[in-house]
Amino acid sequence: MRISATCAAVGAFLLGASVLPAQSVVTEPVGFTTLTVNAKPGSGRGFTYLSVNMFRPTAYRAVVPVGGVSVVGGNTVLTFPANSFTLNQFAGTANANFLELNSGAATVNTVAQNGLLVDVVSNDTSTITLAGDISAAITAGTTTVRIRPHWTLGTLFGTTNTAGFLAGTSGTADLVSILNPVNGAFSNYYYSAATSRWQTGLSTISNDVVVRPDAGVLIERKLTSAFSFTVTGEVKLGPTEVVITGGGASGNFTIAPNPYPLASMSLANSGLFTNSVATGVKSGTSGTADLVSLFNSGSGGFTNYYYSSANNRWQVGLSTDASAVTIPEGAAVLVLRRAGNSSFTWFVPQPAMNL
């Protein structure tokens, strides 16, 4: 049993034209992917570390105008021509959106920060307010921004559970768990058979809970049968920002996605190791280095990889070269950041695509 995903029908399609003066006509490669949730073994618990590798369609795309960057109350505000948007077009209940930067730079892990993702807080008819200050990463007149809606439990898996999860109670249904890497706690969601909706706990409605593009999810299957579901959307181009949370006092975990519908990303070309602990995983031995772990649903265990400081390569165990090991499509990896190491931003490089 394994996580599997197949991307098909990828092509350049016209997704739509604006009815507003400054909103762009957007052409992106689109298609669909089939994601599989593995069966529960005959005994024990059945887990899948899943990565959603399609994005919802771009809602707006433009170059940031000259003079269009400011900071208000610690948040970056981008200003576009008058009447570019409708009020709260990209914010509000059930309408969470995020913004992606594309500076035009050719490399990753640069000051340009291609692929940086940040949530939209609010917008009026000409300005967009972002969550935090990313003004240093934006060059007015050059940087292109894309705004996309977030996936939610309802839009990704269906408000009527079209994906096919086992419905039930919090104790009997399949669980979709989202990790808070800061405190190491999971929030658990399920499709309620009694109320026909996604929820958490006994009664909290969760259809609009965001499934972030920069984080994988953990699924616990309660049946001894696998199932697959289809996700239709855009293929993400360019690098993608994933924040690997710092180790704190005792180490910390991040469920990091492969955001592309391909399995061609090897550990060697993943960009996870940069030769600097400030921008990538810490090298060392199997006991001291940061770990990148792939889950095997058949055995119920992890295979742990690390960057060997002695051999200058990715390894598993004491001496086995793991440089060519790939992160499966549709899969998320578990990254252990050792104690004392700060957070870093992994700019996941786009693999080669035949679009």
Side-chain angles (χ1 to χ4, degrees):
M1 293 176 289
R2 63 185 178 88
I3 297 173
S4 65
T6 303
C7 181
V10 176
F13 290 90
L14 188 66
L15 292 186
S18 169
V19 295
L20 296 174
Q23 193 165 349
S24 305
V25 173
V26 180
T27 302
E28 301 286 354
V30 300
F32 63 88
T33 186
T34 300
L35 300 176
T36 297
V37 175
N38 296 299
K40 175 186 180 296
S43 60
R45 302 171 70 181
F47 295 107
T48 299
Y49 283 78
L50 195 73
S51 176
V52 181
N53 52 14
M54 301 295 283
F55 285 62
R56 295 184 70 187
T58 301
Y60 181 78
R61 178 176 183 244
V63 174
V64 178
V66 174
V69 183
S70 60
V71 180
V72 179
N75 295 326
T76 295
V77 177
L78 303 180
T79 300
F80 296 88
N83 299 316
S84 290
F85 322 113
T86 57
L87 181 65
N88 286 328
Q89 181 179 345
F90 307 120
T93 303
N95 191 38
N97 281 253
F98 66 94
L99 179 142
E100 174 194 351
L101 292 188
N102 185 338
S103 68
T107 59
V108 298
N109 287 326
T110 66
V111 175
Q113 296 189 342
N114 265 351
L116 189 149
L117 309 177
V118 59
D119 286 339
V120 175
V121 173
S122 63
N123 75 272
D124 58 24
T125 58
S126 61
T127 66
I128 297 171
T129 300
L130 305 177
D133 182 7
I134 63 164
S135 57
I138 300 173
T139 302
T142 300
T143 299
T144 297
V145 297
R146 285 181 174 85
I147 298 176
R148 307 177 193 260
H150 274 295
W151 287 114
T152 64
L153 294 178
T155 58
L156 181 59
F157 303 132
T159 55
T160 58
N161 189 24
T162 51
F165 287 83
L166 174 65
T169 68
S170 59
T172 63
D174 292 342
L175 296 181
V176 176
S177 300
I178 298 176
L179 176 67
N180 182 335
V182 176
N183 59 21
F186 280 98
S187 295
N188 300 319
Y189 305 95
Y190 65 99
Y191 195 83
S192 169
T195 59
S196 298
R197 69 190 184 196
W198 289 97
Q199 63 183 48
T200 185
L202 297 178
S203 60
T204 304
I205 303 173
S206 302
N207 285 346
D208 299 330
V209 167
V210 167
V211 180
R212 298 190 60 83
D214 51 1
V217 296
L218 175 62
I219 297 174
E220 181 177 359
R221 179 68 165 156
K222 299 293 181 65
L223 296 179
T224 55
S225 60
F227 72 93
S228 299
F229 61 97
T230 299
V231 180
T232 301
E234 291 182 356
V235 178
K236 174 73 169 61
L237 300 180
T240 303
E241 175 202 38
V242 174
V243 175
I244 305 300
T245 304
S250 57
N252 217 334
F253 289 99
T254 300
I255 301 178
N258 173 3
Y260 303 100
L262 295 166
S264 58
M265 184 194 308
S266 68
L267 292 177
N269 66 22
S270 68
L272 273 167
F273 179 74
T274 64
N275 207 33
S276 169
V277 73
T279 59
V281 295
K282 178 186 178 183
S283 63
T285 68
S286 59
T288 62
D290 291 341
L291 299 181
V292 176
S293 303
L294 286 173
F295 184 70
N296 184 316
S297 62
S299 66
F302 287 94
T303 303
N304 300 321
Y305 303 95
Y306 66 98
Y307 197 89
S308 168
S309 55
N311 296 319
N312 295 315
R313 67 185 187 190
W314 285 95
Q315 285 189 183
V316 59
L318 297 179
S319 59
T320 303
D321 186 357
S323 302
V325 168
T326 57
I327 300 174
E329 52 182 319
V333 296
L334 192 64
V335 180
L336 170 62
R337 186 67 159 162
R338 298 286 188 181
N341 298 321
S342 61
S343 300
F344 72 90
T345 299
W346 174 30
F347 285 95
V348 188
Q350 175 198 313
M353 297 184 185
N354 294 320
L355 299 177

